Amino acid sequence: MLRQFTEAMSDLGPGELQDVLHRVLAAGAVGDDPFERTSPPSRRRPRRVDVVTYRVRIDLKGTTPPLWRRCELASDLFLDDFHDVIHAAFGWTDSHLHRFGCGPEYYSHDTEYYLCPFDVEEGETGVPEDQVRLDEVLVEIGEKLFYTYDFGDDWQHTIRLEAVVCHEDSVPRRESVQKAGLLRKHRGKLLLTAQGRAMCRDPVAFWWLLAEKTPPRFTVGP
């Protein structure tokens, strides 16, 4: 019982810990579960009628020097596809669970979570990520979306909408401009051109190292 209590508490942020404490003290009915998470109000907005290009910056929290990526994405991209883009850009290997969150901060009772398939099967509170489009959770410039990879190491990413520009059909739907970190070939197909562009059709084709100041531009295709 003590181990389960410790594990449950370790997953909570400061605000959630205070909230749980108040609920524990206030709980009077037998069977009350202060750790049960109720669904927050939906933070999804109506989908855009037109498709535009979103320029977003993704920062990996707690890195020195700062590690970040800038991506250009079609606004109608679903979050499960965006997950693949993040992994291609940062070199993650998709060997751990992940989750998106939309709210004041990642760990908050007011945050709505968008779940990977495993969490959906486990009955976690949230919306399946393959049902949520980018333009439902990022609408105005400056808005943020959160993404966490590996619930043990807790690699937290902050995604900020920087610009909204007209989308051209000839432009790839998922184009990423990397600005902090060094890419090298890990496995999968990688094609570099003289202009420093790379086409990667395998989301696990990259590995990053904190070294290069001006790394290459690459595109995740198709």
Side-chain angles (χ1 to χ4, degrees):
M1 180 67 71
L2 179 59
R3 182 178 62 83
Q4 294 176 342
F5 177 79
T6 302
E7 291 177 352
M9 295 294 285
S10 65
D11 291 333
L12 303 179
E16 290 181 308
L17 286 172
Q18 185 176 18
D19 182 64
V20 167
L21 178 60
H22 290 161
R23 291 160 66 185
V24 168
L25 295 176
V30 177
D32 268 4
D33 183 3
F35 298 103
E36 182 179 2
R37 188 177 189 275
T38 57
S39 298
S42 176
R43 291 186 171 271
R44 299 165 65 184
R45 272 70 60 84
R47 296 176 177 179
R48 295 182 64 105
V49 177
D50 58 332
V51 178
V52 295
T53 296
Y54 276 2
R55 182 176 301 131
V56 302
R57 170 167 162 158
I58 310 171
D59 286 83
L60 183 60
K61 185 178 179 180
T63 56
T64 304
L67 180 63
W68 55 275
R69 303 287 187 264
R70 176 172 287 119
C71 302
E72 293 181 354
L73 312 161
S75 60
D76 63 347
L77 197 69
F78 282 88
L79 294 188
D80 58 331
D81 290 326
F82 188 26
H83 157 74
D84 292 337
V85 172
I86 294 172
H87 277 240
F90 283 90
W92 298 128
T93 58
D94 204 10
S95 53
H96 300 280
L97 299 179
H98 66 274
R99 183 177 297 179
F100 288 92
C102 184
E105 55 183 330
Y106 182 77
Y107 292 111
S108 171
H109 278 291
D110 295 325
T111 295
E112 183 177 52
Y113 293 112
Y114 310 115
L115 311 178
C116 64
F118 180 85
D119 281 347
V120 173
E121 293 179 1
E122 289 294 303
E124 296 288 340
T125 301
V127 182
E129 63 183 8
D130 61 2
Q131 297 179 10
V132 183
R133 283 184 8 176
L134 202 58
D135 58 5
E136 294 181 83
V137 291
L138 291 177
V139 178
E140 302 293 337
I141 293 175
E143 289 187 341
K144 296 179 180 179
L145 178 68
F146 302 102
Y147 173 85
T148 292
Y149 172 64
D150 188 346
F151 298 161
D153 287 337
D154 199 35
W155 294 105
Q156 294 188 32
H157 307 65
T158 300
I159 302 152
R160 179 178 177 273
L161 180 60
E162 290 188 326
V164 178
V165 297
C166 293
H167 179 73
E168 300 178 12
D169 293 336
S170 59
V171 175
R173 290 175 53 77
R174 298 178 288 175
E175 182 167 313
S176 180
V177 181
Q178 187 186 10
K179 288 295 183 182
L182 174 65
L183 289 178
R184 64 177 173 83
K185 185 173 180 180
H186 177 51
R187 64 176 180 268
K189 297 180 179 179
L190 175 61
L191 175 63
L192 289 174
T193 70
Q195 290 75 30
R197 297 178 64 86
M199 177 65 73
C200 170
R201 296 185 181 276
D202 181 352
V204 195
F206 296 111
W207 198 261
W208 55 262
L209 298 171
L210 295 176
E212 180 65 46
K213 293 182 179 180
T214 56
R217 181 184 180 95
F218 70 92
T219 299
V220 180

